[in-house]
Amino acid sequence: MTDAPVAGPDDRQLGAFDEVADAVQAAQTAFDTYLDCTLAQRRAFIAAIREESTREENLRYMAYEAVAETKMGNAEHKVLKNKYAATLTPGVEDLLMEAYQSDTGMTTMEYAPYGVIGAITPTTNPTETIISNGISMLAAGNAVVFSPHPRARRLSVWLVDRLNRALIAAGAPENLMTIIRKPSMDATAQLMASPQVQMLVATGGPQIVNMVLSSGKKAIGAGSGNPPVVVDETADIPKAARDIVNGASFDNNLPCTAEKEVVAVSPVVPELVERMVHEGAQLVNDPEILERLRDLLMSPDREHPRPSWVGQDAGTILQAVGVTPDPGTRLIITETSADDPLVQVEMLMPVLPIVATTDASQAIDLAIDLEHGHHHTAIMHSRDVSRLESMARRSRTTIFVKNGPSYSGIGIEGEGFATFTIAGPTGEGLTSARSFARRRRCVLNASM
């Protein structure tokens, strides 16, 4: 843990409220004022969020404090995630207006704010989601009430305070961002039921996403996935091995986009495994040790990961089952069958099973099956364009990465904007400012 950068001239936590109703009312009051702000002012406010979030002392504090409070993940990787969230999330420029003109007049298709948005944030990406959603939601003209995960409550409140101070200094209304100081399921239910909350956004597990989707309000749900990565015989195996190890070990596999299982054609498996070991993976194929891993990492019914082991270091996991980690180990790999619970369950930890298949067609079929219809993320390493197109078309995932690490799909070392709310269940995909705005048809009638 590192010392918190100085918050400001007083000890108040700006935007933080004990009562849900107070947080919502404060955001509503801020929104009522925000409606009169110009686009130029919005741009200035977004710039203030970016500047505050990318201060070196804040980047490092958020990263190391997230690991300390949530007890998961890799701090240096979280520095990168927060930086990309702040710099690559689109702002007002995402709100492109369409115009149609004829003798009878002109029609514009504009983006209008919803009002107050209730946003539920996860423990895996607590500050990244607040930064990215904050930029997108405010760029679209909304105010937002955050309901953080209880295991990331302290850091989330600190961040909202910092961002509020930066916004106010830039001339924004106070409480454009508010946060529930003591989050709970009851508090979340109150947030969802508030008549002043016009839109709900949930980034997290199936339970919270389903709650939001059944609220009766406009909702965006960003749920879990079980991203497969396919490797066929045409792939650049050294590059595939490097990309897979980098992607699957990034932030100890916490991102829901990260490679969760490898499906490879049999002829390439030996070289792929050898290259992955060279890149920092440690191979564990001993049946007894594998069973110890399952006992350690999974619930007794083998249907869920144990929360206490989510996002832990590969070396820590190996030591816990009596295996000495090799120097530099950042990922555990094993060759196993498709019915292994480690393959079937999204583990969110640096343990990556590898399943062999007879050919590329079977590999694609199996990968789609293992994704479990979440339509979240899939990855493929191949030089065969037709196979890449086939998997992309048939998987129907929100993100499909070709010949790269999984994190390139969210803008990290890849083209495209960044986001940490990937709405597969509700279909918005990678969310940005326009995802949090109404489409308004504005008609000027010039007929005689």
Side-chain angles (χ1 to χ4, degrees):
M1 186 184 302
T2 60
D3 292 335
V6 177
D10 56 54
D11 294 328
R12 293 181 302 154
Q13 293 174 315
L14 300 189
F17 293 87
D18 290 330
E19 300 297 328
V20 173
D22 293 339
V24 172
Q25 182 56 55
Q28 180 66 60
T29 301
F31 172 71
D32 292 341
T33 303
Y34 196 34
L35 277 172
D36 293 327
C37 291
T38 65
L39 286 176
Q41 287 176 300
R42 282 195 215 173
R43 291 188 181 95
F45 303 156
I46 299 306
I49 294 175
R50 297 192 201 278
E51 181 180 358
E52 185 67 19
S53 301
T54 54
R55 294 183 190 278
E56 185 64 23
E57 65 271 25
N58 288 346
L59 284 172
R60 302 200 69 78
Y61 177 74
M62 288 187 288
Y64 281 86
E65 183 63 19
V67 173
E69 186 174 3
T70 68
K71 296 179 171 54
M72 61 176 69
N74 178 292
E76 289 302 316
H77 291 167
K78 290 183 183 296
V79 170
L80 291 175
K81 288 165 67 177
N82 282 298
K83 183 175 181 180
Y84 279 104
T87 58
L88 292 185
T89 299
V92 176
E93 68 276 10
D94 192 55
L95 306 175
L96 297 175
M97 184 182 70
E98 300 173 41
Y100 306 89
Q101 187 172 10
S102 72
D103 292 339
T104 58
M106 182 174 71
T107 293
T108 57
M109 297 299 297
E110 304 170 351
Y111 289 98
Y114 278 91
V116 176
I117 297 177
I120 300 156
T121 59
T123 186
T124 50
N125 304 303
T127 53
E128 302 94 322
T129 305
I130 288 176
I131 292 167
S132 184
N133 279 356
I135 289 172
S136 295
M137 293 170 181
L138 268 61
N142 305 286
V144 56
V145 181
F146 287 110
S147 179
H149 192 283
R151 286 176 59 187
R153 176 193 63 81
R154 187 175 63 248
L155 177 59
S156 299
V157 169
W158 175 89
L159 176 59
V160 167
D161 171 75
R162 291 302 297 244
L163 296 182
N164 263 305
R165 292 177 188 277
L167 286 164
I168 292 167
E174 187 172 347
N175 295 318
L176 274 181
M177 292 183 182
T178 65
I179 190 167
I180 300 167
R181 187 179 276 114
K182 297 179 180 179
S184 64
M185 292 302 290
D186 181 62
T188 299
Q190 291 180 48
L191 180 66
M192 290 192 294
S194 172
Q196 292 172 292
V197 173
Q198 298 297 304
M199 182 185 201
L200 294 166
V201 179
T203 310
Q207 181 182 8
I208 195 65
V209 170
N210 289 337
M211 281 181 62
V212 164
L213 296 187
S214 62
S215 67
K217 296 185 178 184
K218 168 64 178 176
I220 291 178
S224 57
N226 193 39
V229 51
V230 169
V231 184
D232 75 6
E233 72 279 7
T234 73
D236 180 338
I237 300 302
K239 182 180 187 302
R242 182 171 60 253
D243 288 345
I244 293 169
V245 172
N246 285 343
S249 65
F250 187 69
D251 202 16
N252 287 345
N253 203 253
L254 284 178
C256 51
T257 56
E259 295 88 342
K260 297 296 188 281
E261 64 276 340
V262 178
V263 183
V265 297
S266 295
V268 308
V269 170
E271 183 184 0
L272 180 65
V273 168
E274 180 183 357
R275 293 284 185 169
M276 291 177 75
V277 169
H278 176 74
E279 295 293 339
Q282 185 160 336
L283 179 65
V284 176
N285 275 344
D286 184 300
E288 182 181 340
I289 296 174
L290 285 176
E291 191 58 22
R292 276 190 246 153
L293 275 173
R294 296 184 193 100
D295 288 341
L296 177 74
L297 303 178
M298 306 192 77
S299 59
D301 61 9
R302 298 292 197 262
E303 293 184 0
H304 306 282
R306 291 188 189 272
S308 59
W309 285 99
V310 168
Q312 301 306 302
D313 292 338
T316 302
I317 294 171
L318 287 171
Q319 289 174 337
V321 294
V323 176
T324 301
D326 295 333
T329 293
R330 51 199 176 113
L331 181 68
I332 301 165
I333 59 174
T334 182
E335 299 173 65
T336 189
S337 60
D339 59 358
D340 191 323
L342 293 171
V343 176
Q344 294 289 333
V345 176
E346 183 185 40
M347 296 298 290
L348 296 170
M349 58 188 76
V351 178
L352 187 68
I354 302 169
V355 180
T357 61
T358 56
D359 55 41
S361 178
Q362 185 187 55
I364 293 172
D365 287 343
L366 178 58
I368 292 171
D369 181 62
L370 295 175
E371 208 271 329
H372 299 316
H374 294 301
H375 305 298
H376 196 294
T377 298
I379 305 101
M380 186 173 186
H381 292 269
S382 174
R383 291 190 179 99
D384 189 317
V385 174
S386 64
R387 290 177 182 173
L388 291 166
E389 290 178 348
S390 175
M391 185 169 176
R393 183 174 60 253
R394 293 178 56 206
S395 65
R396 293 179 292 135
T397 50
T398 300
I399 295 175
F400 182 63
V401 177
K402 305 175 183 179
N403 298 316
S406 55
Y407 50 67
S408 63
I410 54 172
I412 299 176
E413 297 180 10
E415 287 300 317
F417 64 86
T419 184
F420 286 86
T421 295
I422 301 163
T426 49
E428 289 82 4
L430 280 73
T431 56
S432 61
R434 68 182 70 179
S435 306
F436 306 114
R438 300 177 185 274
R439 291 278 278 163
R440 177 170 61 202
R441 189 174 192 175
C442 192
V443 180
L444 173 65
N445 193 315
S447 60
M448 301 298 291

